[in-house]
Amino acid sequence: QITLKESGPTLVKPTQTLTLTCTFSGFSLSTSGVGVGWIRQPPGKALECLALIYWDDHKRYSPSLKSRLTVTKDTSENQVVLTMTNMDPVDTATYYCAHLLYYDILTSYYHSYFDSWGRGTLVTVSS
Amino acid sequence: QSALTQPRSVSGSPGQSVTISCSGTNSDVGGYNYVSWYQQHPGKAPKLTIYDVSKRPSGVPDRFSGSKSGNTASLTISGLQAEDEADYYCCSYAGDYTLVFGGGTKLTVL
């Protein structure tokens, strides 16, 4: 069973850097075909994919936020960390991490979907 | 990499069928058979409902089905039930390890 949990501050001030940690179990980020995504959702708005990190350390970022985002993985600790610099009130959102299946080594099929999600953590940006 | 286009809202009565569209380009929806759909109830995390355009994960009722034609994917919910009222998001692989979401559709069961 795959589980993910987001952790980090619930309140940050404008211009500060946000650091969120996704701690997961039930899979390893060293397994071929696996990834973790960070997705956010401002109140009442749509999902937005912020960053993806794959087993082979490929990283992808939202083009509009690329300059502010960094994603890293700690395979031994089963954690993925997202940092976002220069936070602004418009960054107030629920931040989710999710397990991404890119390639199934058992079936040799490619996919690309999020099959397990954390519960999310609400981050408010306010002075 | 622009967000996929979904209708903001759809509605239907219990027992009816509704279809939610998801329009993209040749670089995402039209270029790959890796469209997924997520159901999200208020205050909850999204839940995978359809993957690889038309496949259902274990536990998802067969009332939910997916399809694709050209650059547009669709999610159809037949035999609408009250618990289907939720927000629905499409997502597509867009090449080079990237994914893009749609803007979301609010389904109201009348």
Side-chain angles (χ1 to χ4, degrees), chain A residues 39 41 44-49 52 54-56 58 60-63 96 100 102 109-120, chain B residues 1 33-36 38 40 43-48 50-52 55 87 89 91-93 95-104:
Chain A
I39 303 101
Q41 185 173 38
K45 295 190 176 182
L47 301 172
E48 178 184 17
C49 188
L52 304 171
Y54 291 85
W55 81 100
D56 56 3
H58 270 91
R60 295 294 181 265
Y61 298 103
S62 164
Y96 296 99
L100 170 63
Y102 176 78
Y109 285 141
Y110 285 89
H111 297 289
S112 285
Y113 58 82
F114 299 107
D115 55 358
S116 296
W117 295 64
R119 299 179 71 172
Chain B
Q1 190 183 52
N33 289 322
Y34 303 135
V35 176
S36 52
Y38 303 87
Q40 185 181 34
K44 301 294 187 182
K47 173 191 169 187
L48 178 67
I50 293 287
Y51 68 96
D52 293 358
K55 298 178 182 175
D87 293 327
Y89 293 90
C91 180
S92 176
Y93 183 68
D96 193 29
Y97 293 87
T98 65
L99 294 170
V100 60
F101 279 99

Short mmCIF file of all heavy atoms in Angstrom, two decimals, chain A residues 39 41 44-49 52 54-56 58 60-63 96 100 102 109-120, chain B residues 1 33-36 38 40 43-48 50-52 55 87 89 91-93 95-104:
data_model
loop_
_atom_site.label_atom_id
_atom_site.label_comp_id
_atom_site.label_asym_id
_atom_site.label_seq_id
_atom_site.Cartn_x
_atom_site.Cartn_y
_atom_site.Cartn_z
N ILE A 39 1.90 18.95 -6.64
CA ILE A 39 0.78 19.61 -7.29
C ILE A 39 0.15 20.54 -6.27
O ILE A 39 -0.02 20.18 -5.11
CB ILE A 39 -0.27 18.56 -7.74
CG1 ILE A 39 0.36 17.53 -8.69
CG2 ILE A 39 -1.46 19.24 -8.39
CD1 ILE A 39 0.70 16.20 -8.04
N GLN A 41 -3.03 23.59 -5.34
CA GLN A 41 -4.39 24.00 -5.66
C GLN A 41 -4.77 25.20 -4.81
O GLN A 41 -5.09 25.06 -3.63
CB GLN A 41 -5.37 22.85 -5.42
CG GLN A 41 -6.79 23.14 -5.84
CD GLN A 41 -7.67 21.92 -5.72
OE1 GLN A 41 -7.56 21.12 -4.79
NE2 GLN A 41 -8.56 21.75 -6.68
N GLY A 44 -10.38 27.18 -4.25
CA GLY A 44 -11.39 27.35 -5.27
C GLY A 44 -10.88 27.30 -6.70
O GLY A 44 -11.63 27.57 -7.64
N LYS A 45 -9.60 26.94 -6.87
CA LYS A 45 -9.02 26.94 -8.21
C LYS A 45 -8.55 25.55 -8.61
O LYS A 45 -8.73 24.58 -7.89
CB LYS A 45 -7.90 27.95 -8.28
CG LYS A 45 -8.39 29.38 -8.09
CD LYS A 45 -7.31 30.40 -8.42
CE LYS A 45 -7.86 31.82 -8.30
NZ LYS A 45 -6.84 32.84 -8.65
N ALA A 46 -7.93 25.48 -9.77
CA ALA A 46 -7.56 24.20 -10.37
C ALA A 46 -6.24 23.65 -9.86
O ALA A 46 -5.43 24.37 -9.25
CB ALA A 46 -7.50 24.36 -11.88
N LEU A 47 -6.04 22.39 -10.15
CA LEU A 47 -4.76 21.75 -9.84
C LEU A 47 -3.68 22.28 -10.79
O LEU A 47 -3.95 22.55 -11.97
CB LEU A 47 -4.87 20.24 -10.03
CG LEU A 47 -5.90 19.51 -9.19
CD1 LEU A 47 -6.01 18.05 -9.64
CD2 LEU A 47 -5.54 19.58 -7.71
N GLU A 48 -2.49 22.40 -10.26
CA GLU A 48 -1.35 22.85 -11.05
C GLU A 48 -0.15 21.99 -10.71
O GLU A 48 0.23 21.88 -9.54
CB GLU A 48 -1.03 24.31 -10.77
CG GLU A 48 0.18 24.85 -11.52
CD GLU A 48 0.54 26.27 -11.15
OE1 GLU A 48 0.08 26.77 -10.09
OE2 GLU A 48 1.29 26.91 -11.93
N CYS A 49 0.44 21.38 -11.72
CA CYS A 49 1.61 20.54 -11.49
C CYS A 49 2.83 21.42 -11.35
O CYS A 49 3.19 22.15 -12.28
CB CYS A 49 1.77 19.56 -12.65
SG CYS A 49 3.06 18.33 -12.39
N LEU A 52 8.10 17.55 -10.91
CA LEU A 52 8.15 16.11 -10.99
C LEU A 52 9.59 15.67 -10.81
O LEU A 52 10.50 16.31 -11.35
CB LEU A 52 7.64 15.61 -12.34
CG LEU A 52 6.24 16.04 -12.77
CD1 LEU A 52 5.99 15.65 -14.22
CD2 LEU A 52 5.20 15.40 -11.87
N TYR A 54 11.90 11.96 -10.96
CA TYR A 54 11.80 10.56 -11.35
C TYR A 54 12.92 9.73 -10.72
O TYR A 54 13.91 10.26 -10.23
CB TYR A 54 11.87 10.46 -12.87
CG TYR A 54 10.65 11.03 -13.57
CD1 TYR A 54 10.55 12.38 -13.85
CD2 TYR A 54 9.59 10.20 -13.95
CE1 TYR A 54 9.43 12.91 -14.50
CE2 TYR A 54 8.47 10.71 -14.59
CZ TYR A 54 8.40 12.07 -14.86
OH TYR A 54 7.29 12.57 -15.50
N TRP A 55 12.76 8.41 -10.82
CA TRP A 55 13.72 7.47 -10.26
C TRP A 55 15.14 7.72 -10.77
O TRP A 55 16.11 7.49 -10.06
CB TRP A 55 13.28 6.05 -10.58
CG TRP A 55 13.66 5.60 -11.96
CD1 TRP A 55 14.72 4.81 -12.31
CD2 TRP A 55 12.99 5.95 -13.18
NE1 TRP A 55 14.75 4.66 -13.67
CE2 TRP A 55 13.70 5.33 -14.24
CE3 TRP A 55 11.87 6.71 -13.51
CZ2 TRP A 55 13.32 5.46 -15.56
CZ3 TRP A 55 11.50 6.84 -14.83
CH2 TRP A 55 12.22 6.21 -15.83
N ASP A 56 15.23 8.17 -12.03
CA ASP A 56 16.54 8.38 -12.65
C ASP A 56 17.03 9.81 -12.44
O ASP A 56 17.99 10.23 -13.08
CB ASP A 56 16.47 8.05 -14.14
CG ASP A 56 15.42 8.86 -14.87
OD1 ASP A 56 14.76 9.72 -14.23
OD2 ASP A 56 15.22 8.65 -16.07
N HIS A 58 15.60 12.55 -13.28
CA HIS A 58 15.06 13.57 -14.16
C HIS A 58 14.13 14.46 -13.32
O HIS A 58 13.38 13.97 -12.48
CB HIS A 58 14.25 12.95 -15.30
CG HIS A 58 15.05 12.64 -16.51
ND1 HIS A 58 15.64 11.41 -16.71
CD2 HIS A 58 15.35 13.40 -17.59
CE1 HIS A 58 16.28 11.43 -17.86
NE2 HIS A 58 16.14 12.61 -18.41
N ARG A 60 11.43 17.90 -13.64
CA ARG A 60 10.70 18.81 -14.50
C ARG A 60 9.92 19.79 -13.64
O ARG A 60 9.39 19.42 -12.61
CB ARG A 60 9.73 18.04 -15.43
CG ARG A 60 10.43 17.13 -16.43
CD ARG A 60 11.24 17.92 -17.42
NE ARG A 60 11.90 17.09 -18.42
CZ ARG A 60 13.16 16.67 -18.32
NH1 ARG A 60 13.89 17.00 -17.27
NH2 ARG A 60 13.69 15.94 -19.29
N TYR A 61 9.86 21.04 -14.12
CA TYR A 61 9.20 22.10 -13.35
C TYR A 61 8.15 22.81 -14.20
O TYR A 61 8.26 22.86 -15.43
CB TYR A 61 10.24 23.12 -12.89
CG TYR A 61 11.30 22.57 -11.97
CD1 TYR A 61 12.58 22.28 -12.45
CD2 TYR A 61 11.02 22.32 -10.63
CE1 TYR A 61 13.56 21.76 -11.60
CE2 TYR A 61 12.00 21.82 -9.79
CZ TYR A 61 13.26 21.53 -10.28
OH TYR A 61 14.21 21.03 -9.45
N SER A 62 7.18 23.37 -13.52
CA SER A 62 6.22 24.23 -14.20
C SER A 62 6.98 25.36 -14.89
O SER A 62 7.78 26.05 -14.23
CB SER A 62 5.25 24.82 -13.19
OG SER A 62 4.54 25.92 -13.73
N PRO A 63 6.77 25.56 -16.19
CA PRO A 63 7.53 26.62 -16.89
C PRO A 63 7.38 27.99 -16.24
O PRO A 63 8.34 28.76 -16.19
CB PRO A 63 6.92 26.60 -18.30
CG PRO A 63 6.41 25.20 -18.46
CD PRO A 63 5.90 24.80 -17.11
N TYR A 96 -0.01 19.27 -2.63
CA TYR A 96 -0.09 17.82 -2.59
C TYR A 96 1.20 17.20 -3.17
O TYR A 96 1.78 17.76 -4.11
CB TYR A 96 -1.24 17.31 -3.47
CG TYR A 96 -2.62 17.70 -3.06
CD1 TYR A 96 -3.28 18.77 -3.68
CD2 TYR A 96 -3.32 16.98 -2.10
CE1 TYR A 96 -4.57 19.13 -3.34
CE2 TYR A 96 -4.63 17.32 -1.75
CZ TYR A 96 -5.23 18.39 -2.37
OH TYR A 96 -6.52 18.72 -2.04
N LEU A 100 3.77 8.88 -8.90
CA LEU A 100 3.60 8.89 -10.34
C LEU A 100 4.13 7.59 -10.92
O LEU A 100 5.28 7.21 -10.68
CB LEU A 100 4.37 10.07 -10.93
CG LEU A 100 4.53 10.16 -12.45
CD1 LEU A 100 3.18 10.29 -13.13
CD2 LEU A 100 5.43 11.33 -12.83
N TYR A 102 5.29 6.07 -14.19
CA TYR A 102 5.72 6.46 -15.54
C TYR A 102 5.94 5.24 -16.41
O TYR A 102 5.61 5.23 -17.59
CB TYR A 102 7.01 7.28 -15.43
CG TYR A 102 7.62 7.68 -16.75
CD1 TYR A 102 7.09 8.73 -17.48
CD2 TYR A 102 8.75 7.01 -17.24
CE1 TYR A 102 7.66 9.11 -18.70
CE2 TYR A 102 9.31 7.39 -18.45
CZ TYR A 102 8.77 8.43 -19.17
OH TYR A 102 9.32 8.80 -20.37
N TYR A 109 5.04 -1.52 -19.82
CA TYR A 109 4.21 -0.49 -20.43
C TYR A 109 4.52 0.88 -19.83
O TYR A 109 4.78 1.00 -18.64
CB TYR A 109 2.72 -0.79 -20.20
CG TYR A 109 2.18 -1.91 -21.06
CD1 TYR A 109 1.27 -2.82 -20.53
CD2 TYR A 109 2.56 -2.05 -22.38
CE1 TYR A 109 0.76 -3.85 -21.31
CE2 TYR A 109 2.06 -3.08 -23.17
CZ TYR A 109 1.16 -3.99 -22.62
OH TYR A 109 0.67 -5.00 -23.39
N TYR A 110 4.46 1.90 -20.67
CA TYR A 110 4.58 3.27 -20.20
C TYR A 110 3.20 3.77 -19.80
O TYR A 110 2.17 3.34 -20.35
CB TYR A 110 5.17 4.18 -21.30
CG TYR A 110 6.64 3.98 -21.48
CD1 TYR A 110 7.15 3.03 -22.36
CD2 TYR A 110 7.56 4.76 -20.76
CE1 TYR A 110 8.51 2.84 -22.51
CE2 TYR A 110 8.92 4.59 -20.92
CZ TYR A 110 9.39 3.62 -21.79
OH TYR A 110 10.74 3.45 -21.94
N HIS A 111 3.16 4.72 -18.86
CA HIS A 111 1.89 5.25 -18.39
C HIS A 111 1.98 6.78 -18.21
O HIS A 111 1.94 7.50 -19.18
CB HIS A 111 1.48 4.59 -17.08
CG HIS A 111 1.23 3.12 -17.21
ND1 HIS A 111 0.14 2.61 -17.88
CD2 HIS A 111 1.93 2.04 -16.77
CE1 HIS A 111 0.19 1.29 -17.85
NE2 HIS A 111 1.26 0.92 -17.19
N SER A 112 2.10 7.23 -17.06
CA SER A 112 2.12 8.66 -16.64
C SER A 112 0.82 9.06 -15.98
O SER A 112 0.01 9.79 -16.55
CB SER A 112 2.45 9.61 -17.79
OG SER A 112 3.82 9.55 -18.10
N TYR A 113 0.62 8.59 -14.77
CA TYR A 113 -0.53 9.01 -13.98
C TYR A 113 -0.19 8.96 -12.50
O TYR A 113 0.72 8.25 -12.08
CB TYR A 113 -1.76 8.14 -14.26
CG TYR A 113 -1.60 6.66 -14.03
CD1 TYR A 113 -1.73 6.12 -12.75
CD2 TYR A 113 -1.35 5.79 -15.08
CE1 TYR A 113 -1.60 4.75 -12.54
CE2 TYR A 113 -1.22 4.42 -14.87
CZ TYR A 113 -1.34 3.91 -13.62
OH TYR A 113 -1.21 2.56 -13.41
N PHE A 114 -0.95 9.75 -11.74
CA PHE A 114 -0.77 9.82 -10.30
C PHE A 114 -1.79 8.87 -9.65
O PHE A 114 -2.99 9.14 -9.68
CB PHE A 114 -1.01 11.23 -9.78
CG PHE A 114 -0.06 12.27 -10.33
CD1 PHE A 114 -0.50 13.19 -11.28
CD2 PHE A 114 1.26 12.32 -9.90
CE1 PHE A 114 0.37 14.15 -11.78
CE2 PHE A 114 2.13 13.27 -10.40
CZ PHE A 114 1.69 14.19 -11.34
N ASP A 115 -1.31 7.78 -9.09
CA ASP A 115 -2.26 6.80 -8.56
C ASP A 115 -2.44 6.87 -7.05
O ASP A 115 -3.35 6.23 -6.52
CB ASP A 115 -1.88 5.38 -8.98
CG ASP A 115 -0.46 5.01 -8.60
OD1 ASP A 115 0.25 5.87 -8.03
OD2 ASP A 115 -0.06 3.86 -8.88
N SER A 116 -1.60 7.59 -6.37
CA SER A 116 -1.78 7.78 -4.92
C SER A 116 -1.39 9.19 -4.56
O SER A 116 -0.37 9.70 -5.06
CB SER A 116 -0.91 6.79 -4.13
OG SER A 116 -1.30 5.46 -4.36
N TRP A 117 -2.18 9.80 -3.72
CA TRP A 117 -1.98 11.19 -3.34
C TRP A 117 -1.88 11.32 -1.82
O TRP A 117 -2.52 10.57 -1.08
CB TRP A 117 -3.14 12.06 -3.80
CG TRP A 117 -3.30 12.16 -5.29
CD1 TRP A 117 -3.60 11.16 -6.18
CD2 TRP A 117 -3.19 13.35 -6.06
NE1 TRP A 117 -3.68 11.65 -7.45
CE2 TRP A 117 -3.44 13.00 -7.41
CE3 TRP A 117 -2.93 14.69 -5.76
CZ2 TRP A 117 -3.41 13.94 -8.45
CZ3 TRP A 117 -2.90 15.63 -6.78
CH2 TRP A 117 -3.13 15.25 -8.12
N GLY A 118 -1.12 12.30 -1.38
CA GLY A 118 -1.17 12.66 0.02
C GLY A 118 -2.44 13.45 0.30
O GLY A 118 -3.17 13.82 -0.63
N ARG A 119 -2.68 13.76 1.56
CA ARG A 119 -3.89 14.50 1.92
C ARG A 119 -3.75 15.99 1.64
O ARG A 119 -4.75 16.71 1.64
CB ARG A 119 -4.21 14.27 3.40
CG ARG A 119 -4.46 12.81 3.71
CD ARG A 119 -4.75 12.59 5.19
NE ARG A 119 -6.06 13.12 5.57
CZ ARG A 119 -6.62 12.93 6.75
NH1 ARG A 119 -5.97 12.24 7.68
NH2 ARG A 119 -7.79 13.44 7.03
N GLY A 120 -2.53 16.43 1.41
CA GLY A 120 -2.31 17.84 1.12
C GLY A 120 -2.05 18.65 2.38
O GLY A 120 -2.46 18.27 3.48
N GLN B 1 3.61 25.17 -22.71
CA GLN B 1 2.82 24.14 -22.05
C GLN B 1 1.61 24.80 -21.39
O GLN B 1 1.67 25.25 -20.25
CB GLN B 1 3.67 23.44 -20.99
CG GLN B 1 3.04 22.21 -20.41
CD GLN B 1 3.91 21.60 -19.32
OE1 GLN B 1 4.33 22.28 -18.38
NE2 GLN B 1 4.17 20.32 -19.42
N ASN B 33 -1.25 8.40 -25.65
CA ASN B 33 -2.42 7.76 -25.02
C ASN B 33 -2.23 7.67 -23.51
O ASN B 33 -2.43 6.61 -22.90
CB ASN B 33 -2.65 6.38 -25.63
CG ASN B 33 -3.17 6.46 -27.04
OD1 ASN B 33 -3.98 7.33 -27.37
ND2 ASN B 33 -2.71 5.57 -27.89
N TYR B 34 -1.84 8.80 -22.93
CA TYR B 34 -1.57 8.85 -21.49
C TYR B 34 -2.39 9.96 -20.85
O TYR B 34 -1.87 10.86 -20.19
CB TYR B 34 -0.08 9.06 -21.22
CG TYR B 34 0.81 8.02 -21.84
CD1 TYR B 34 1.97 8.37 -22.52
CD2 TYR B 34 0.50 6.67 -21.74
CE1 TYR B 34 2.79 7.40 -23.09
CE2 TYR B 34 1.31 5.69 -22.31
CZ TYR B 34 2.45 6.07 -22.98
OH TYR B 34 3.26 5.11 -23.54
N VAL B 35 -3.70 9.89 -21.07
CA VAL B 35 -4.61 10.84 -20.43
C VAL B 35 -5.19 10.18 -19.19
O VAL B 35 -5.61 9.01 -19.23
CB VAL B 35 -5.75 11.25 -21.37
CG1 VAL B 35 -6.74 12.16 -20.64
CG2 VAL B 35 -5.19 11.95 -22.62
N SER B 36 -5.20 10.91 -18.10
CA SER B 36 -5.79 10.41 -16.86
C SER B 36 -6.83 11.41 -16.37
O SER B 36 -6.82 12.59 -16.74
CB SER B 36 -4.72 10.17 -15.78
OG SER B 36 -3.89 11.32 -15.61
N TYR B 38 -9.14 12.63 -12.77
CA TYR B 38 -9.17 12.61 -11.32
C TYR B 38 -10.47 13.21 -10.82
O TYR B 38 -10.91 14.25 -11.32
CB TYR B 38 -7.96 13.39 -10.75
CG TYR B 38 -6.66 12.82 -11.26
CD1 TYR B 38 -6.12 13.25 -12.47
CD2 TYR B 38 -6.00 11.81 -10.56
CE1 TYR B 38 -4.95 12.71 -12.97
CE2 TYR B 38 -4.83 11.26 -11.06
CZ TYR B 38 -4.33 11.71 -12.27
OH TYR B 38 -3.17 11.14 -12.77
N GLN B 40 -12.38 14.84 -7.56
CA GLN B 40 -12.05 15.49 -6.31
C GLN B 40 -13.30 16.01 -5.62
O GLN B 40 -13.98 16.89 -6.13
CB GLN B 40 -11.06 16.65 -6.53
CG GLN B 40 -10.58 17.27 -5.23
CD GLN B 40 -9.64 18.44 -5.44
OE1 GLN B 40 -9.77 19.19 -6.40
NE2 GLN B 40 -8.67 18.59 -4.55
N GLY B 43 -12.67 19.43 -0.21
CA GLY B 43 -11.82 19.20 0.95
C GLY B 43 -11.03 17.91 0.91
O GLY B 43 -10.33 17.59 1.88
N LYS B 44 -11.09 17.19 -0.20
CA LYS B 44 -10.39 15.91 -0.32
C LYS B 44 -9.31 15.98 -1.38
O LYS B 44 -9.32 16.86 -2.25
CB LYS B 44 -11.37 14.79 -0.67
CG LYS B 44 -12.48 14.61 0.35
CD LYS B 44 -11.95 14.12 1.67
CE LYS B 44 -13.08 13.77 2.62
NZ LYS B 44 -12.57 13.32 3.95
N ALA B 45 -8.39 15.02 -1.31
CA ALA B 45 -7.36 14.91 -2.34
C ALA B 45 -7.98 14.32 -3.60
O ALA B 45 -8.97 13.58 -3.53
CB ALA B 45 -6.22 14.02 -1.84
N PRO B 46 -7.42 14.64 -4.74
CA PRO B 46 -7.89 14.02 -6.00
C PRO B 46 -7.74 12.51 -5.94
O PRO B 46 -6.86 11.98 -5.26
CB PRO B 46 -6.97 14.63 -7.05
CG PRO B 46 -6.51 15.91 -6.46
CD PRO B 46 -6.37 15.63 -5.00
N LYS B 47 -8.61 11.84 -6.69
CA LYS B 47 -8.59 10.37 -6.75
C LYS B 47 -8.53 9.95 -8.20
O LYS B 47 -9.34 10.41 -9.03
CB LYS B 47 -9.84 9.81 -6.09
CG LYS B 47 -10.02 8.31 -6.25
CD LYS B 47 -11.41 7.88 -5.80
CE LYS B 47 -11.71 6.45 -6.19
NZ LYS B 47 -13.10 6.06 -5.91
N LEU B 48 -7.58 9.08 -8.53
CA LEU B 48 -7.46 8.57 -9.89
C LEU B 48 -8.73 7.83 -10.29
O LEU B 48 -9.16 6.91 -9.59
CB LEU B 48 -6.25 7.64 -10.00
CG LEU B 48 -6.02 7.00 -11.37
CD1 LEU B 48 -5.63 8.06 -12.40
CD2 LEU B 48 -4.92 5.92 -11.26
N ILE B 50 -9.58 7.45 -14.09
CA ILE B 50 -9.29 6.84 -15.39
C ILE B 50 -7.81 7.08 -15.69
O ILE B 50 -7.28 8.16 -15.40
CB ILE B 50 -10.13 7.47 -16.53
CG1 ILE B 50 -11.62 7.14 -16.37
CG2 ILE B 50 -9.63 7.01 -17.91
CD1 ILE B 50 -12.00 5.69 -16.69
N TYR B 51 -7.14 6.10 -16.27
CA TYR B 51 -5.76 6.28 -16.72
C TYR B 51 -5.60 5.69 -18.11
O TYR B 51 -6.43 4.89 -18.56
CB TYR B 51 -4.76 5.69 -15.72
CG TYR B 51 -4.79 4.19 -15.61
CD1 TYR B 51 -3.90 3.40 -16.34
CD2 TYR B 51 -5.70 3.54 -14.78
CE1 TYR B 51 -3.92 2.03 -16.24
CE2 TYR B 51 -5.73 2.17 -14.67
CZ TYR B 51 -4.84 1.42 -15.41
OH TYR B 51 -4.85 0.05 -15.31
N ASP B 52 -4.53 6.08 -18.77
CA ASP B 52 -4.26 5.60 -20.14
C ASP B 52 -5.50 5.73 -21.02
O ASP B 52 -5.88 4.79 -21.73
CB ASP B 52 -3.80 4.14 -20.11
CG ASP B 52 -2.44 3.97 -19.47
OD1 ASP B 52 -1.83 4.97 -19.07
OD2 ASP B 52 -1.98 2.81 -19.34
N LYS B 55 -8.71 3.30 -19.17
CA LYS B 55 -8.61 2.21 -18.19
C LYS B 55 -9.08 2.67 -16.81
O LYS B 55 -8.79 3.79 -16.39
CB LYS B 55 -7.17 1.70 -18.14
CG LYS B 55 -6.70 1.12 -19.46
CD LYS B 55 -5.26 0.67 -19.41
CE LYS B 55 -4.82 0.15 -20.77
NZ LYS B 55 -3.37 -0.20 -20.79
N ASP B 87 -15.54 17.72 -8.48
CA ASP B 87 -14.74 18.34 -9.53
C ASP B 87 -13.94 17.25 -10.23
O ASP B 87 -13.47 16.30 -9.59
CB ASP B 87 -13.77 19.38 -8.94
CG ASP B 87 -14.51 20.57 -8.35
OD1 ASP B 87 -15.56 20.95 -8.89
OD2 ASP B 87 -14.02 21.13 -7.35
N TYR B 89 -10.77 16.52 -13.07
CA TYR B 89 -9.61 17.10 -13.76
C TYR B 89 -9.01 16.07 -14.71
O TYR B 89 -8.84 14.91 -14.35
CB TYR B 89 -8.53 17.50 -12.75
CG TYR B 89 -8.93 18.64 -11.84
CD1 TYR B 89 -9.57 18.41 -10.63
CD2 TYR B 89 -8.68 19.96 -12.21
CE1 TYR B 89 -9.94 19.45 -9.80
CE2 TYR B 89 -9.04 21.02 -11.39
CZ TYR B 89 -9.68 20.75 -10.19
OH TYR B 89 -10.05 21.80 -9.38
N CYS B 91 -5.64 15.13 -17.14
CA CYS B 91 -4.19 15.33 -17.09
C CYS B 91 -3.60 14.54 -18.24
O CYS B 91 -4.04 13.41 -18.52
CB CYS B 91 -3.64 14.84 -15.75
SG CYS B 91 -1.86 15.02 -15.56
N SER B 92 -2.64 15.11 -18.92
CA SER B 92 -2.02 14.41 -20.05
C SER B 92 -0.51 14.48 -19.99
O SER B 92 0.07 15.49 -19.56
CB SER B 92 -2.49 15.02 -21.37
OG SER B 92 -1.83 14.42 -22.48
N TYR B 93 0.12 13.41 -20.43
CA TYR B 93 1.56 13.43 -20.67
C TYR B 93 1.80 14.39 -21.83
O TYR B 93 1.02 14.43 -22.80
CB TYR B 93 2.06 12.05 -21.01
CG TYR B 93 3.56 11.96 -21.21
CD1 TYR B 93 4.42 12.13 -20.13
CD2 TYR B 93 4.11 11.71 -22.46
CE1 TYR B 93 5.79 12.04 -20.29
CE2 TYR B 93 5.47 11.62 -22.63
CZ TYR B 93 6.31 11.79 -21.54
OH TYR B 93 7.67 11.71 -21.71
N GLY B 95 5.12 14.88 -23.14
CA GLY B 95 6.46 14.65 -23.67
C GLY B 95 7.56 15.06 -22.72
O GLY B 95 7.34 15.89 -21.83
N ASP B 96 8.72 14.50 -22.89
CA ASP B 96 9.91 14.88 -22.11
C ASP B 96 9.66 14.88 -20.61
O ASP B 96 10.04 15.83 -19.90
CB ASP B 96 10.41 16.25 -22.57
CG ASP B 96 11.81 16.55 -22.05
OD1 ASP B 96 12.60 15.60 -21.84
OD2 ASP B 96 12.12 17.76 -21.83
N TYR B 97 9.00 13.86 -20.13
CA TYR B 97 8.75 13.67 -18.69
C TYR B 97 7.80 14.70 -18.10
O TYR B 97 7.77 14.86 -16.87
CB TYR B 97 10.07 13.72 -17.90
CG TYR B 97 11.03 12.57 -18.14
CD1 TYR B 97 11.95 12.63 -19.18
CD2 TYR B 97 11.03 11.45 -17.32
CE1 TYR B 97 12.84 11.58 -19.39
CE2 TYR B 97 11.92 10.41 -17.52
CZ TYR B 97 12.83 10.48 -18.56
OH TYR B 97 13.72 9.45 -18.76
N THR B 98 7.04 15.41 -18.89
CA THR B 98 6.17 16.45 -18.35
C THR B 98 4.70 16.05 -18.40
O THR B 98 4.29 15.23 -19.22
CB THR B 98 6.33 17.79 -19.10
OG1 THR B 98 5.89 17.62 -20.46
CG2 THR B 98 7.77 18.27 -19.09
N LEU B 99 3.91 16.63 -17.52
CA LEU B 99 2.47 16.41 -17.43
C LEU B 99 1.78 17.77 -17.36
O LEU B 99 2.33 18.73 -16.82
CB LEU B 99 2.13 15.59 -16.20
CG LEU B 99 2.62 14.14 -16.15
CD1 LEU B 99 2.41 13.54 -14.77
CD2 LEU B 99 1.90 13.30 -17.19
N VAL B 100 0.56 17.83 -17.87
CA VAL B 100 -0.21 19.06 -17.80
C VAL B 100 -1.65 18.72 -17.40
O VAL B 100 -2.22 17.73 -17.87
CB VAL B 100 -0.17 19.83 -19.13
CG1 VAL B 100 -0.74 19.00 -20.27
CG2 VAL B 100 -0.87 21.16 -19.03
N PHE B 101 -2.21 19.54 -16.52
CA PHE B 101 -3.58 19.35 -16.05
C PHE B 101 -4.55 20.23 -16.83
O PHE B 101 -4.17 21.25 -17.42
CB PHE B 101 -3.70 19.74 -14.56
CG PHE B 101 -3.26 18.66 -13.61
CD1 PHE B 101 -2.00 18.69 -13.05
CD2 PHE B 101 -4.13 17.63 -13.27
CE1 PHE B 101 -1.60 17.71 -12.15
CE2 PHE B 101 -3.72 16.64 -12.38
CZ PHE B 101 -2.45 16.67 -11.83
N GLY B 102 -5.81 19.85 -16.77
CA GLY B 102 -6.88 20.70 -17.27
C GLY B 102 -7.33 21.65 -16.18
O GLY B 102 -6.92 21.53 -15.02
N GLY B 103 -8.20 22.59 -16.55
CA GLY B 103 -8.67 23.59 -15.61
C GLY B 103 -9.75 23.12 -14.66
O GLY B 103 -10.16 23.86 -13.77
N GLY B 104 -10.23 21.89 -14.85
CA GLY B 104 -11.22 21.33 -13.94
C GLY B 104 -12.65 21.61 -14.36
O GLY B 104 -12.96 22.64 -14.96
#
